[in-house]
Amino acid sequence: MKQNIGFILLSALCMYSCTSLSHIDQARVMSGLTKVVQASTITDAQMAAYVGDYIKQSDAANYVCPENSQYTKRLRKLTSGLIDANGIPLNFQVYNIRDVNAFACPDGSIRVYAGLMDIMSDDEVLGVIGHEIGHIANRDSKNAFKNSLMTSALKDGIASTSATAAALTDSQLGALGEAFLSANYSQAQEYAADEYGYEFLKKHNKNPYAMALSFKKLKQLEENVGVKKTDAINQLFSTHPQLEKRIKRMTDKAKKDGYIN
């Protein structure tokens, strides 16, 4: 970590020296440098505070299905016994939105859209959830947030290096939401999330073959909707590349473990 911070400092100072002859405000440059360093060293407590603020705003802005909703009852049944992932407490809600989507945050918040539940079976929904849990457990969503903090206006919200997070503006919270909704993970991260999701479901007496089933449904949707794909469906596909390979990997594991003949 110290080496990374040193590299960031060196890079920023080089940038500063290259622009010092211009009319750029020196105080502004040094303030930006400080924020970059703070973003690179953000604590878990700060992370939880920022994400907590975003989830509160997101839940308020989107219609969260009440506990007596058929969507929520179904989700509670599917996620029964899924308490935490590598020590991160999980919480689940359904947004009454017709988009085919779902997203996870590093604090363990997983939000599933009603549109996805409408077109997927229980096992298919569970497969999507298992994969999202994999990203949480592997800290992929946390790293995606840190990258966003380093490269977007969110870094303006960092006011101190203490364990208390600075308040973020509405636009910065919106940018944070975009980081979660449009996170692009590497192929290795996607495969690792698949593997974790499979083992997680298996450990909790859920059907791990659900991982393959969810990918099969996404593949079917991709083939059926063609050029008429909505932005929401396009986003779901863009975050799940190499579907055929991943279907085979999960199917082979399920066969080996005796979940399918």
Side-chain angles (χ1 to χ4, degrees):
M1 176 62 74
K2 291 182 179 179
Q3 291 179 342
N4 291 336
I5 294 173
F7 176 77
I8 294 169
L9 281 167
L10 179 61
S11 299
L13 286 171
C14 287
M15 177 180 69
Y16 169 72
S17 64
C18 291
T19 58
S20 61
L21 296 179
S22 69
H23 297 290
I24 294 178
D25 190 308
Q26 294 184 16
R28 183 179 178 184
V29 172
M30 295 309 296
S31 174
L33 170 58
T34 300
K35 291 170 184 175
V36 168
V37 175
Q38 291 169 348
S40 70
T41 59
I42 186 171
T43 66
D44 287 344
Q46 287 176 315
M47 174 73 70
Y50 285 126
V51 175
D53 285 346
Y54 165 69
I55 285 297
K56 287 179 182 178
Q57 185 199 60
S58 181
D59 286 354
N62 297 288
Y63 182 75
V64 176
C65 293
E67 289 299 315
N68 62 356
S69 162
Q70 292 303 310
Y71 289 111
T72 303
K73 289 180 180 179
R74 183 183 171 199
L75 185 65
R76 295 287 177 259
K77 182 178 179 180
L78 287 174
T79 59
S80 175
L82 307 184
I83 307 300
D84 71 275
N86 280 353
I88 301 174
L90 301 172
N91 70 89
F92 307 89
Q93 295 290 352
V94 182
Y95 285 170
N96 193 8
I97 299 175
R98 298 302 101 188
D99 292 346
V100 181
N101 211 351
F103 69 91
C105 297
D107 71 334
S109 297
I110 294 179
R111 299 298 182 260
V112 182
Y113 290 30
L116 182 141
M117 297 185 74
D118 284 339
I119 65 170
M120 287 191 169
S121 68
D122 285 355
D123 276 342
E124 290 164 350
V125 173
L126 190 60
V128 172
I129 291 172
H131 179 80
E132 296 299 335
I133 289 174
H135 281 308
I136 292 173
N138 294 335
R139 271 57 177 183
D140 295 332
S141 52
K142 176 180 178 179
N143 291 332
F145 168 61
K146 288 182 70 173
N147 290 337
S148 175
L149 202 62
M150 291 285 291
T151 59
S152 76
L154 278 175
K155 63 178 177 287
D156 292 335
I158 303 293
S160 71
T161 56
S162 69
T164 302
L168 297 181
T169 65
D170 287 344
S171 63
Q172 289 164 348
L173 285 170
L176 175 54
E178 286 298 314
F180 294 140
L181 287 170
S182 61
N184 291 313
Y185 301 116
S186 68
Q187 181 172 299
Q189 288 175 316
E190 293 288 8
Y191 283 162
D194 293 349
E195 294 290 334
Y196 186 94
Y198 180 97
E199 296 299 333
F200 183 86
L201 295 179
K202 179 180 174 181
K203 177 182 178 181
H204 289 82
N205 299 314
K206 308 288 186 181
N207 179 13
Y209 182 48
M211 301 293 297
L213 293 176
S214 66
F215 296 146
K216 285 182 178 181
K217 174 54 68 72
L218 290 178
K219 184 66 176 176
Q220 178 185 346
L221 287 171
E222 185 178 36
E223 293 170 349
N224 288 347
V225 298
V227 295
K228 296 181 180 180
K229 286 184 288 190
T230 65
D231 289 341
I233 293 179
N234 269 318
Q235 178 57 45
L236 198 59
F237 290 148
S238 69
T239 58
H240 292 83
Q242 304 290 322
L243 285 175
E244 290 183 359
K245 290 182 179 179
R246 295 166 74 184
I247 290 169
K248 185 178 186 307
R249 284 165 61 95
M250 294 296 98
T251 300
D252 288 347
K253 283 179 70 71
K255 285 182 177 178
K256 181 179 179 180
D257 290 342
Y259 287 95
I260 55 177
N261 297 323

